[in-house]
Amino acid sequence: MKRHVETALASRFHVTVLARSGAVVSSFEFTTLPALLSRLERWHVVVTDDQLAAPYPRYSPSLRTFMQHARTDGSLRINVYAASTHISGDEALDLIAGRPVAPGGPPPFRDGPVKGTGKRGPYRFFRRRIRTADSHREGSYPDDGCEDVPELRAARNRANLPSGRDDIPRCRTRSWKATRRHQWRVHK
């Protein structure tokens, strides 16, 4: 290729996987150059003996199916094409190295709340997540092969177990603060 500008203006890119003999086994098509370069970067392509190769095909789900065509060192030989023009291995590595990196970097440390943690939304005061599902299940469905079903404690009886559905929502009438004795409280 003469210049990388011609490569960027191509409308179709494809990568061919070659067998040991040099025959084409399969090909991957890409519509944009960034998609092609990100795939080549994920495959960790290297140049060996003036040929482009993917040295670790067993770690890539898309290349793992072609392991029977790997060379003796375990790498797969690949060719890269922009439109119908072959891109050499060194040019492909130059394109990968010249890729623009995403702006930014690592996320800021302790800058605001962590997503997915914290309160559960506007109804966080009215619904508790009571984890008694296993006890409910255990009390209602004994084992099929069990002839002697052990009795449950009265406290673990299904009727006495709380669940999230029969929870009483928090409000002022049910607050412990109205009935405390030792600290300050409002006099009626």
Side-chain angles (χ1 to χ4, degrees):
M1 294 224 31
K2 293 181 183 175
R3 284 183 275 147
H4 294 307
V5 175
E6 295 173 3
T7 306
L9 295 177
S11 62
R12 209 178 96 224
F13 304 92
H14 65 275
V15 175
T16 57
V17 179
L18 304 174
R20 289 183 205 102
S21 63
V24 175
V25 176
S26 181
S27 67
F28 300 97
E29 297 230 0
F30 303 96
T31 55
T32 62
L33 182 63
L36 167 74
L37 295 178
S38 68
R39 183 65 62 96
L40 290 177
E41 189 175 21
R42 263 187 270 143
W43 289 345
H44 304 288
V45 292
V46 295
V47 175
T48 56
D49 303 328
D50 295 331
Q51 297 172 350
L52 194 62
Y56 312 110
R58 64 185 168 276
Y59 298 123
S60 171
S62 55
L63 292 179
R64 192 177 299 138
T65 57
F66 308 113
M67 283 295 296
Q68 67 268 17
H69 301 290
R71 299 189 291 188
T72 55
D73 61 351
S75 64
L76 275 177
R77 202 172 130 210
I78 58 175
N79 283 339
V80 180
Y81 296 94
S84 61
T85 307
H86 178 265
I87 298 176
S88 71
D90 294 326
E91 288 176 341
L93 290 180
D94 289 342
L95 285 172
I96 293 171
R99 249 178 99 195
V101 287
F109 182 69
R110 291 189 182 164
D111 184 23
V114 178
K115 201 171 214 171
T117 62
K119 303 296 183 186
R120 292 186 295 273
Y123 298 105
R124 64 183 173 264
F125 298 116
F126 301 110
R127 182 73 72 186
R128 288 190 305 166
R129 289 185 59 197
I130 300 175
R131 298 189 173 108
T132 56
D134 285 339
S135 300
H136 277 278
R137 204 175 301 119
E138 193 176 294
S140 60
Y141 304 116
D143 275 341
D144 292 335
C146 187
E147 297 170 2
D148 184 27
V149 179
E151 291 294 323
L152 292 175
R153 292 186 307 132
R156 302 311 283 174
N157 188 359
R158 186 179 171 87
N160 295 335
L161 286 174
S163 72
R165 297 203 178 260
D166 60 7
D167 195 20
I168 300 170
R170 271 170 59 171
C171 63
R172 288 185 183 162
T173 60
R174 298 284 298 179
S175 175
W176 58 271
K177 294 178 183 177
T179 58
R180 65 185 174 180
R181 296 182 183 189
H182 299 293
Q183 290 185 4
W184 177 86
R185 63 183 172 137
V186 177
H187 294 287
K188 296 178 186 176

